[in-house]
Amino acid sequence: MKIVFTKILFGLLLILSLIIVASAQDLQTARRNLMPVPSSVNWQSGRLNVTKNFTVAVKGNTDERLKSYIFRVMRRLEGRTVLEMSREISSDASATLLIETNSTGNAIPKLGDDESYNLEITNNQAKLTAPNTVGAMRGLETFLQILEGDKDGFYFPAVSIKDQPRFAWRGLMIDSARHFMPLEVIKRNLDAMAAVKLNVLHWHLTEDQGFRVETRKFPELYLQGSDGDFYTQEQIREIIKYAADRGIRVMPEFDMPGHATAWLVSHPEIGSGKPGETYEIERRPGIFDPTLDPTNEKTYKLLEVFFKEMSALFPDAYMHIGGDENEGKQWNANPKIQAFMKEKGIKDNHQLQTYFNKRILKFLEKNGKIMMGWDEIFQPDLPKNVVIHSWRGQKALADAAKLGVTGVLSNGYYIDLMFPASQHYAVDPIPADTTLTAEEQKRILGGEATMWSEWVSPETIDSRIWSRMPAVAERFWSPREINDVDDMYRRLSIIQNQLEELGLTHRKNQAMMLRRLTNNQDISALQSLVSIIEPVKEYKRYQVRPQTMLSPLTGLVDAANADAPNARIFNRAVSELIAGKDSEINAENIRKMLGDWRSSQNGLQNLMATSPALAEAKQLGFDFQKITEIAQEALDALESNRAKDSAQKSAEWREAQLKTLAEIAKSKAGLEIVVVESIKKMVLAASEK
Amino acid sequence: MKIVFTKILFGLLLILSLIIVASAQDLQTARRNLMPVPSSVNWQSGRLNVTKNFTVAVKGNTDERLKSYIFRVMRRLEGRTVLEMSREISSDASATLLIETNSTGNAIPKLGDDESYNLEITNNQAKLTAPNTVGAMRGLETFLQILEGDKDGFYFPAVSIKDQPRFAWRGLMIDSARHFMPLEVIKRNLDAMAAVKLNVLHWHLTEDQGFRVETRKFPELYLQGSDGDFYTQEQIREIIKYAADRGIRVMPEFDMPGHATAWLVSHPEIGSGKPGETYEIERRPGIFDPTLDPTNEKTYKLLEVFFKEMSALFPDAYMHIGGDENEGKQWNANPKIQAFMKEKGIKDNHQLQTYFNKRILKFLEKNGKIMMGWDEIFQPDLPKNVVIHSWRGQKALADAAKLGVTGVLSNGYYIDLMFPASQHYAVDPIPADTTLTAEEQKRILGGEATMWSEWVSPETIDSRIWSRMPAVAERFWSPREINDVDDMYRRLSIIQNQLEELGLTHRKNQAMMLRRLTNNQDISALQSLVSIIEPVKEYKRYQVRPQTMLSPLTGLVDAANADAPNARIFNRAVSELIAGKDSEINAENIRKMLGDWRSSQNGLQNLMATSPALAEAKQLGFDFQKITEIAQEALDALESNRAKDSAQKSAEWREAQLKTLAEIAKSKAGLEIVVVESIKKMVLAASEK
């Protein structure tokens, strides 16, 4: 017993010490460019060199989906290596890449499909084994991420990987309703989703601002509710196939009873407004009153037919009915509805919505669909065989799980709100301190990031999604313990770069937009500014810079993005400097950045003066100049302090700078300079006793 | 008489002196950002300010095409100004932009359609008048190009423009056969074509390397001849409508009897090879032997049905049958064909091809089509009602014109050959020194640039076309006298920038490709090199860097482009310096550029060492370093000379540098450093007595 105990203790100590010495460098070595990080990775010594003689073989089961996937992966490998390789897929067991699968799996993916795979790379061969085609797809993406290059050429480092997802539901919601997204936007986003192992496209298709799906039963719905921007059923089938070919489910959402203005443009009779009330497509963002009438049999007559048609069109077992943000104003104001509630003994609007949901549930069940909806649909008297989609948080989801109801988390993954990747990355669908039992935990199916489209266009949507989405995808796929933020950002940058090979535009469109804003002038000075500013967060944009759904999304706020790259580097250097960590290196880096900023000032002022499209951001140019000066003064003082000079800044100086910084901290043109807090810290440190 | 003569003389002298004093600045003022330059432009004082209250009205005839075009133009105006404007198109005569047309014109454009328009902009209104919808489209593009901005905001300067094209046929040929180009590539290129007033998409659809069009009569042609990459008839109709909505004709080309390997994959029986010979889709570039058999009635039986089907699919009056580069090898080697020729008294392969063409001509005529073909189809005994498409040159075209045959010039507009814009710009379909009569000149219908697609992918094709195409478009539209090269380049740069608002990728994909080549490292040092290198010209690429149609087009040679921007600036500065023009300014500019180059060296060497995809270009990195040193030494010597020091370089030094430069001048990785000649000049000048 004693010996065993000692061994365990020794083992624990060893693990502990390994954890402690694990530095950024170790993580870089351990995780290389993998994102999401697989559940088990063991690097070996050795390398599989990549030459033009690279070959692929498939053993066991195969199908067209797998062959097409291999074809595309091979073209990407060729693109990166600039080597032409054979297009043959043989069954030769000695091929460079040998793929073994036992089954094609579901041609149209289903929740719970096995997505696991093993990947063994030695000096001679890469061997990918998976129970089915989708597992092989996931493994192929990992394989591509492993590619490295050095002076001796491209190679795959030897490795042994065993991998499977932590959560079965790993989604991205795209709102095609507020701003319509053409087919190619959806396709390229599906490509990127597959690259980071996401498996659900939640497609938000109806809203106050648009009805985006062809229905043959009620063509007036899209003809009058979409400005002509809708998906035909043929296009939807094309997307479903495109997604299935990448192991991705497509779940449609038809948001109701609220968020329904676009329905009522052609069918005012099923709205809850006054008799004879008419509706127009909503152009503003926000929460609106128009709501389907749950007391009107015409509503159900239409919806029954509609859901039958949509159930046939969308093969996925789940159908999302929204259900959010119904404030019930039309219901309260409508005497008929009030009378109905009284008659039926329905006590409040929640109960009325549950009445509505139960009726809808029957339509869905009749067509073999499982109902999914936002938190609001979860009411005590609704049956438990629904899926709760939580925008409210992990607690709501845990509460539901305890009651036997499954759920998916989106709270914390609202990527439209322009928060940094680190913030989303820190949110776990099942936090480490969960009190849920193992059984209950299984009811948390996973998570979904939401790309609400108030302020995105086809030109900018990729930048809003892929600036942070790979970090969220990792949270959904990888073990909970994969959570080092610095290493996440390192890998994120590489993955973002690779995604553009798929036709994504998240990086390349920024320079184009800046060129348009300046009418073809040299944009380098503007890029210096853009790399430390971010759009305002949460729902502030509309408050500080109102626009409608018809407005051009081509301003500086649209070109800028969350996670401004230089701001993150600067803020980190300041934190460390003040904490006394690597002071010399950090001071030097800060000095260098300030030098870059200073050298951009003239060019920036000139751009601002000659580009009317930048007029709204003029003050940001002045602010940029000012923070550069203040930071430089503070840095000089801090440096003197370190050198034990007596350059301590006065309290008056401090107060003056803080006052200036408080003004600069206010957003302008929907943007904020995100290094202001750091410069404030520098000012405080420079003037401390 | 005398007074009149004096007045004329005075007038002539005035014009002459105006021409002489016309400086770059004058041209900039005169032409602003217009490309192609209208036939008559009179700038006035005054400006029409652009606010969010901008309105549009249409008077006279209107149609959906015009309304859609206005809609798109307005969205682009919004995009540039970041102002939301009304989407209403009224008939209010006081609208900011008032458009008057008398007729919708041809819904499917026809050769010779009136494309003229007048545009009058005053302080209060822009008034666009045109005889028909297409004229209005052309005027709307001019209108957008006029937009200016300054510290007071966006505005349209007051102007009076009368404009019409010089040539009725202004084409771009896109080869979708050697590399297939997806629908969205064709669409965005049509958008860009309309923006620079081009009006013919010549669509090259069949080749040795691919058969790209769905035929319902012979599905085996595309099923076996395209690797699955072809256009469905529905997609072709979509493109024809898309083009028509932009005032662009779509003329298909089915190249025959040569360039026909892809046909013979499924129909070897109509080939001219040995009995039983089989064919595979060709993967190499070049001229190949497989040729349709003009002596086989099966050939005509198939083609008669095929042309009937295609004639119904493509509404344009013209149909291109290629006819080029048939070297007749299979014909010479085929005893049956030789016997046929003997029997019919056909003396040579030219006559045999004419026999073939005459038979085809009948099929086309039966379907109401006019035959167009490359120079080779022009043989004495072919009827004169065909159109000659000249890759051989203006003389061939002039010769045909003298014989009463119409023609279109492509010689000089082969944009796939990577020559600079200036070279294409200097080619005129009807040179100033033409000996053709006015009547004969009318037979020169215009010109077409050719985008042969051996070495372009969907990722790079825009960069190959739009780096130079706007200059060619100007040659086809504007008066012959619009030919100042510096001003062309100034405007080209602005127009290129604007075209990306249409979704084109010619600028933005370069950085993306460089990031991929370096696996996400900082590419600025590589950009320094890329801005002075160009792909090798003419047909050298395949010689020095062989690839096939299946090879990845992701190398440095694919990221680099013709008209390397910094090379042009450098070369010009060197020319002027050596000619003694603005010596101080030019020396200073050269010194600055050399400083930039020097500061890129370390970064570049590092990128080259760590990026296997750049391994092939490693020597270019060393060469870059070497030319920087040599240029610096030569510049120092030239500067000393100017300062009357005695730093004349020795003959030995000169010989050593010239020897080094001769090595550097050799292409590497399919690329050449295009400042070597200038540095050679500097070396010579620095060592001259």
Side-chain angles (χ1 to χ4, degrees), chain A residues 187-441:
Chain A
K187 283 187 181 174
R188 71 188 185 221
N189 275 283
L190 286 165
D191 281 319
M193 287 173 70
V196 293
K197 304 183 172 60
L198 292 166
N199 69 356
V200 182
L201 170 65
H202 167 176
W203 208 358
H204 189 80
L205 289 167
T206 66
E207 255 303 338
D208 296 306
Q209 295 89 349
F211 190 101
R212 305 297 184 188
V213 56
E214 180 196 7
T215 143
R216 293 186 180 160
K217 299 294 180 187
F218 308 100
E220 62 281 6
L221 282 170
Y222 66 90
L223 289 174
Q224 294 177 46
S226 75
D227 301 301
D229 287 329
F230 62 93
Y231 305 105
T232 65
Q233 297 204 354
E234 190 185 342
Q235 289 173 326
I236 284 174
R237 276 189 285 267
E238 191 179 332
I239 290 294
I240 290 166
K241 178 174 188 320
Y242 198 92
D245 285 350
R246 284 148 186 83
I248 298 172
R249 297 164 43 210
V250 177
M251 175 184 65
E253 176 182 348
F254 310 103
D255 204 348
M256 58 185 64
H259 290 278
T261 310
W263 296 72
L264 303 178
V265 177
S266 59
H267 283 277
E269 78 283 2
I270 63 167
S272 306
K274 299 186 195 76
E277 186 160 343
T278 59
Y279 301 84
E280 282 182 11
I281 299 174
E282 183 55 58
R283 305 303 186 185
R284 296 161 298 168
I287 302 174
F288 301 97
D289 300 341
T291 309
L292 301 186
D293 184 352
T295 71
N296 184 345
E297 284 306 311
K298 281 184 189 162
T299 306
Y300 300 109
K301 212 171 152 188
L302 186 150
L303 289 178
E304 181 169 17
V305 176
F306 176 79
F307 277 117
K308 188 176 174 195
E309 185 184 11
M310 291 301 121
S311 295
L313 180 61
F314 290 93
D316 199 66
Y318 294 80
M319 194 161 275
H320 202 298
I321 59 136
D324 54 319
E325 298 179 326
N326 168 25
E327 298 188 340
K329 288 189 194 165
Q330 281 194 335
W331 292 354
N332 296 339
N334 187 322
K336 267 187 154 175
I337 292 175
Q338 292 303 316
F340 179 91
M341 288 168 73
K342 208 166 177 180
E343 185 200 321
K344 298 263 182 192
I346 295 172
K347 285 187 191 124
D348 56 20
N349 288 338
H350 287 307
Q351 284 198 4
L352 184 56
Q353 186 163 342
T354 302
Y355 169 84
F356 173 80
N357 288 342
K358 279 176 161 171
R359 301 273 311 252
I360 302 302
L361 181 63
K362 276 194 197 131
F363 301 151
L364 296 190
E365 285 177 340
K366 205 157 69 177
N367 293 296
K369 301 296 181 189
I370 301 165
M371 183 193 273
M372 183 160 180
W374 297 101
D375 297 84
E376 288 93 329
I377 74 157
F378 183 51
Q379 296 293 333
D381 49 350
L382 195 72
K384 302 220 182 313
N385 55 344
V386 296
V387 181
I388 301 302
H389 188 183
S390 182
W391 63 268
R392 288 188 179 155
Q394 289 122 315
K395 194 185 168 301
L397 218 53
D399 290 347
K402 284 179 188 161
L403 293 170
V405 176
T406 57
V408 169
L409 184 67
S410 274
N411 177 293
Y413 307 123
Y414 269 48
I415 51 176
D416 60 314
L417 301 187
M418 306 309 281
F419 288 114
S422 54
Q423 185 162 328
H424 302 302
Y425 195 57
V427 178
D428 197 311
I430 308 177
D433 62 357
T434 184
T435 58
L436 295 179
T437 65
E439 191 63 28
E440 289 161 354
Q441 288 187 37

Side-chain angles (χ1 to χ4, degrees), chain A residues 33 78-84 87 149-151 153-154 234 459 493-494 497-498 500-501 505 507-509 512 515-517 519-520 545 547-548 550-552 554-555 609-610 612-613 616, chain B residues 33 78-84 87 149-151 153-154 234 459 493-494 497-498 500-501 505 507-509 512 515-517 519-520 545 547-548 550-552 554-555 609-610 612-613 616:
Chain A
N33 305 340
E78 286 185 340
R80 293 185 198 177
T81 59
V82 201
L83 295 169
E84 179 179 338
R87 299 196 172 195
D150 63 14
K151 64 178 176 31
F154 286 101
E234 190 185 342
E459 203 170 75
S493 165
I494 295 164
N497 185 51
Q498 292 175 353
E500 284 205 338
E501 83 192 354
T505 63
R507 295 193 68 173
K508 64 188 179 182
N509 271 7
M512 182 268 283
R515 286 192 291 261
R516 180 173 50 205
L517 280 165
N519 191 21
N520 200 37
R545 192 174 174 280
Q547 285 186 303
T548 77
L550 302 181
S551 302
T554 54
T610 55
E616 61 171 337
Chain B
N33 305 341
E78 285 185 341
R80 293 185 198 176
T81 60
V82 202
L83 295 169
E84 180 179 338
R87 298 196 173 196
D150 64 14
K151 65 179 174 30
F154 286 100
E234 190 185 343
E459 201 170 76
S493 165
I494 295 164
N497 185 51
Q498 292 175 353
E500 285 206 336
E501 84 193 351
T505 64
R507 293 193 69 173
K508 65 187 177 184
N509 271 7
M512 181 268 283
R515 286 193 291 262
R516 180 173 51 204
L517 280 165
N519 192 21
N520 200 36
R545 192 174 175 279
Q547 286 187 302
T548 78
L550 302 181
S551 303
T554 54
T610 56
E616 60 171 338

Side-chain angles (χ1 to χ4, degrees), chain A residues 569-588 590 631 634-635 637-639 641-642 653 658 661 675-689:
Chain A
I569 296 168
F570 182 87
N571 292 340
R572 192 203 173 88
V574 169
S575 283
E576 293 192 356
L577 176 73
I578 288 171
K581 191 179 162 199
D582 297 333
S583 302
E584 252 170 76
I585 297 168
N586 282 311
E588 179 55 30
I590 294 168
L635 181 66
L638 285 167
E639 286 279 86
N641 287 356
R642 276 205 304 131
W653 176 85
L658 292 180
L661 289 173
V675 294
V676 174
E677 266 310 302
S678 290
I679 294 172
K680 205 165 132 187
K681 281 186 214 159
M682 288 172 76
V683 165
L684 290 171
S687 59
E688 258 171 11
K689 282 280 160 246

Side-chain angles (χ1 to χ4, degrees), chain B residues 569-584:
Chain B
I569 296 168
F570 183 87
N571 292 339
R572 192 201 174 90
V574 169
S575 283
E576 293 193 356
L577 176 74
I578 287 172
K581 191 179 164 199
D582 297 332
S583 302
E584 253 170 76

Side-chain angles (χ1 to χ4, degrees), chain B residues 539-596:
Chain B
Y539 295 107
K540 282 185 212 130
R541 176 166 167 163
Y542 183 60
Q543 313 304 325
V544 299
R545 192 174 175 279
Q547 286 187 302
T548 78
M549 297 305 115
L550 302 181
S551 303
L553 298 175
T554 54
L556 189 59
V557 66
D558 301 294
N561 204 346
D563 263 327
N566 283 355
R568 199 158 44 79
I569 296 168
F570 183 87
N571 292 339
R572 192 201 174 90
V574 169
S575 283
E576 293 193 356
L577 176 74
I578 287 172
K581 191 179 164 199
D582 297 332
S583 302
E584 253 170 76
I585 298 168
N586 281 312
E588 179 55 30
N589 286 342
I590 293 168
R591 188 177 306 284
K592 211 170 152 299
M593 291 183 81
L594 294 178
D596 288 344

Side-chain angles (χ1 to χ4, degrees), chain B residues 43 82 86 128 150 207 225 229 263 386 396 455 531 599 616 622:
Chain B
W43 299 105
V82 202
S86 166
L128 172 63
D150 64 14
E207 255 304 338
D229 288 330
W263 295 73
V386 296
W455 310 124
S531 74
S599 68
E616 60 171 338
F622 300 134

